[in-house]
Amino acid sequence: MRRYRGSMRPIITELDNNKKGSIRTDVADLVMVKYKCSSNGVPITQTNGSTLPLVPGSSKDAEFGGYNPFDHRTVQYPTTDMETFIHLLKGSLGSGILAMPLAFMNAGLVFGLVATAVIGFVCTYCVHILVRSSHKLCRRMQVPALGFADVAEVAFLAGPPAFHKFSGLFRGLVNTFLTIDLLGCCCVYIVFVAKNIKQVMDEYVLEINVRWYMLMMLPLVIAMNLIRNLKYLAPFSMIANFLVGICMTITFWYVFQDVPSTKSVPYITDWHKWPLFFGTAIFALEGIGVVMPLENNMKTPQHFIGCPSVLNIGMTIVVVLYSTVGLFGFLKYGDDTEGSITLNLPRDQLLAQSVKVMIAVAIFLTYSLQFYVPFEIIWKGSKHRFTSHPVLFEYLLRVFLVVCTVMVAIACPNLGPVISLVGALCLSFLGLILPSCIDLVTCWEEPGLGRGYWRLWKNMVIIMFGILGLVTGVYSSILDIIKEFNQ
């Protein structure tokens, strides 16, 4: 086995031509098995929805000019900078924007504006270091692209030997927190739809508990999620996007009418409410799950980060929009702000009620797309156990997971604490803690921790910020959920 010397350790496996079938590797056989490197042909692996061909590498220092991953990406339908920009906005501008007035209620007017800008900046910076680490690892591995979980795994495999044993753990953590995050969003969607429908039904038909609406939705949600092919879900997404656009326009029209004075609301709230703000804000702003698939499918991926870049421009617009909705929504409704701003719209006006129906339909149609990714993660990790009747067990698993999300929604029919819990638990880890860990391990040996270990201290500050937000946000959210459950 040949040893590579220097500050950077290549980890791509190579075929020894002198001995047929003999493999040389500088890390572990896991890398060879994982990425199926061989000397014949160009094998293909699937990660996070991207087709990633592995190419033969060389033994020279690939990171410094020997291999450019962008030249080897073979995406069937690459996206332009503008298309990626639109997808980034779509992935970041979700239902969380409707909860921003509630976030501001837990922070105060001025503190909410400042904190939203800070969280937006930190989240954007963490995406930068995640993508930059991905590019470094692609050069070291001599592969054209890596998915989110792959970046976490390979970073620890490519780092110092002491970190190798953590590679599988961090890959599992990424998939676990992505699954919890997206299934948590599904729970939020159930609550969101039921509460909007309840307000309309209370006004025009009869008043019943919101939990009954969730139960009545269950058969429809199950039927929607028995669709196995993502292709057939695309029309529902188009309809949902159209309805959301109409609803947001009407909602803004109501919000900007007769806006009260800024003196009518507090500029800063009590500190014990801040964790709820943090959880809600990061739930709304963090789009870390869509970053790697978008960057992997770009025609010019080098334009994704930098200054200016698709990411910087897109996230600036997202932060401005979220701050605007949070600011004016809180100004308009003050302490009466609901978990979704649509719930504050007038109940005696048909136009406002139509918004609630349309947004409920839009979110209902979006549920299946949100459910698709966590189901794929769970199914890929468990289908080897059900080889006798795989299709039957796949349908049963779909039904089971849908029922679980509805049951959780029924147990916690309050949007605010649920949104804050999902944001604080999952997105603090995925969006803040994990990218900093990956950056640290990737740069540990090359280019190093920097003068005065500035890279270490910088990442430790972000990690501590993420841990603080995670612990306090989860604690505050659970207390609110328990209080709601007891009532």
Side-chain angles (χ1 to χ4, degrees):
M1 180 181 293
R2 184 173 65 182
R3 297 290 182 182
Y4 292 97
R5 301 186 183 278
S7 58
M8 192 274 296
R9 179 186 297 104
I11 67 173
I12 185 72
T13 54
E14 298 176 284
L15 180 69
D16 189 342
N17 294 321
N18 297 323
K19 295 182 180 180
K20 186 177 180 180
S22 175
I23 298 296
R24 297 178 302 180
T25 179
D26 196 39
V27 183
D29 290 339
L30 173 62
V31 180
M32 176 195 61
V33 175
K34 170 67 186 172
Y35 297 99
K36 301 179 180 178
C37 298
S38 67
S39 62
N40 299 317
V42 182
I44 294 176
T45 183
Q46 187 79 11
T47 57
N48 285 1
S50 301
T51 301
L52 311 176
L54 301 182
V55 300
S58 63
S59 61
K60 66 181 179 177
D61 190 351
E63 188 167 3
F64 297 95
Y67 177 84
N68 185 356
F70 307 142
D71 294 338
H72 296 277
R73 292 188 179 180
T74 54
V75 182
Q76 187 175 6
Y77 301 107
T79 56
T80 64
D81 289 359
M82 180 56 67
E83 290 169 338
T84 304
F85 171 76
I86 293 171
H87 287 316
L88 179 65
L89 290 182
K90 180 183 176 183
S92 301
L93 292 172
S95 59
I97 192 171
L98 301 174
M100 283 306 294
L102 178 68
F104 271 63
M105 187 182 74
N106 288 315
L109 199 64
V110 175
F111 182 70
L113 280 174
V114 174
T116 300
V118 170
I119 292 175
F121 173 80
V122 174
C123 289
T124 304
Y125 178 74
C126 287
V127 172
H128 268 273
I129 61 177
L130 176 66
V131 175
R132 198 182 309 122
S133 297
S134 173
H135 292 170
K136 288 178 179 289
L137 294 169
C138 284
R139 293 186 175 98
R140 294 179 188 179
M141 285 289 294
Q142 297 187 10
V143 293
L146 292 168
F148 193 4
D150 296 327
V151 172
E153 181 181 34
V154 173
F156 283 84
L157 282 174
F163 294 148
H164 293 177
K165 59 186 176 182
F166 299 109
S167 59
L169 170 65
F170 273 81
R171 181 183 183 86
L173 285 174
V174 170
N175 285 330
T176 299
F177 278 100
L178 274 176
T179 301
I180 295 173
D181 170 37
L182 295 172
L183 288 180
C185 289
C186 290
C187 298
V188 171
Y189 285 3
I190 295 295
V191 176
F192 186 93
V193 172
K195 285 210 165 189
N196 279 274
I197 293 297
K198 173 180 167 55
Q199 279 202 357
V200 178
M201 296 297 288
D202 286 353
E203 185 69 24
Y204 298 107
V205 185
L206 75 163
E207 294 187 19
I208 61 174
N209 192 289
V210 69
R211 292 180 171 92
W212 286 108
Y213 290 106
M214 298 180 193
L215 280 176
M216 287 186 282
M217 286 167 54
L218 181 58
L220 295 175
V221 180
I222 290 175
M224 280 275 294
N225 287 278
L226 293 180
I227 300 175
R228 302 170 62 201
N229 195 328
L230 191 61
K231 175 183 177 181
Y232 299 122
L233 295 176
F236 297 114
S237 179
M238 294 176 61
I239 296 172
N241 290 338
F242 177 73
L243 292 176
V244 168
I246 296 175
C247 293
M248 292 305 298
T249 301
I250 299 174
T251 300
F252 288 153
W253 183 76
Y254 275 104
V255 168
F256 291 126
Q257 285 186 355
D258 303 322
V259 179
S261 168
T262 56
K263 296 181 180 179
S264 63
V265 294
Y267 289 172
I268 186 170
T269 60
D270 294 335
W271 63 269
H272 62 82
K273 293 184 178 180
W274 294 355
L276 292 174
F277 163 81
F278 175 85
T280 304
I282 199 170
F283 174 88
L285 286 167
E286 188 58 78
I288 196 76
V290 304
V291 167
M292 295 314 302
L294 287 180
E295 191 271 345
N296 286 344
N297 285 278
M298 283 186 71
K299 185 177 181 179
T300 53
Q302 57 269 31
H303 294 171
F304 189 76
I305 57 175
C307 189
S309 64
V310 172
L311 177 65
N312 287 346
I313 297 172
M315 287 304 296
T316 299
I317 294 174
V318 167
V319 170
V320 170
L321 285 175
Y322 275 57
S323 299
T324 302
V325 173
L327 172 68
F328 287 98
F330 179 45
L331 267 179
K332 177 73 173 181
Y333 300 110
D335 292 337
D336 295 326
T337 301
E338 297 278 0
S340 168
I341 195 173
T342 57
L343 299 176
N344 284 110
L345 299 182
R347 301 190 182 191
D348 57 349
Q349 297 184 24
L350 189 59
L351 181 62
Q353 296 291 61
S354 69
V355 169
K356 298 171 187 177
V357 175
M358 286 189 291
I359 199 69
V361 172
I363 297 300
F364 175 80
L365 295 178
T366 308
Y367 180 103
S368 296
L369 292 170
Q370 194 78 10
F371 179 82
Y372 186 86
V373 174
F375 174 79
E376 284 297 303
I377 294 174
I378 295 172
W379 179 239
K380 286 178 181 178
S382 59
K383 64 181 179 181
H384 64 279
R385 302 178 183 273
F386 309 108
T387 54
S388 56
H389 299 89
V391 176
L392 173 62
F393 283 109
E394 180 183 345
Y395 281 127
L396 290 176
L397 181 60
R398 286 177 177 273
V399 172
F400 173 75
L401 290 176
V402 169
V403 170
C404 285
T405 60
V406 174
M407 291 301 105
V408 171
I410 289 174
C412 308
N414 189 342
L415 276 173
V418 175
I419 290 175
S420 183
L421 178 63
V422 173
L425 176 63
C426 301
L427 297 175
S428 293
F429 176 79
L430 292 174
L432 300 177
I433 299 172
L434 182 64
S436 298
C437 291
I438 291 174
D439 181 57
L440 248 174
V441 176
T442 302
C443 299
W444 192 275
E445 293 181 336
E446 181 62 46
L449 299 180
R451 179 176 296 181
Y453 301 104
W454 68 267
R455 186 173 278 110
L456 172 65
W457 298 118
K458 176 260 297 183
N459 283 307
M460 289 303 299
V461 168
I462 298 176
I463 290 171
M464 294 306 298
F465 178 67
I467 292 175
L468 178 65
L470 189 152
V471 173
T472 58
V474 168
Y475 177 74
S476 299
S477 301
I478 289 177
L479 287 181
D480 275 13
I481 289 173
I482 292 174
K483 181 180 179 181
E484 178 74 18
F485 185 77
N486 289 333
Q487 291 177 352

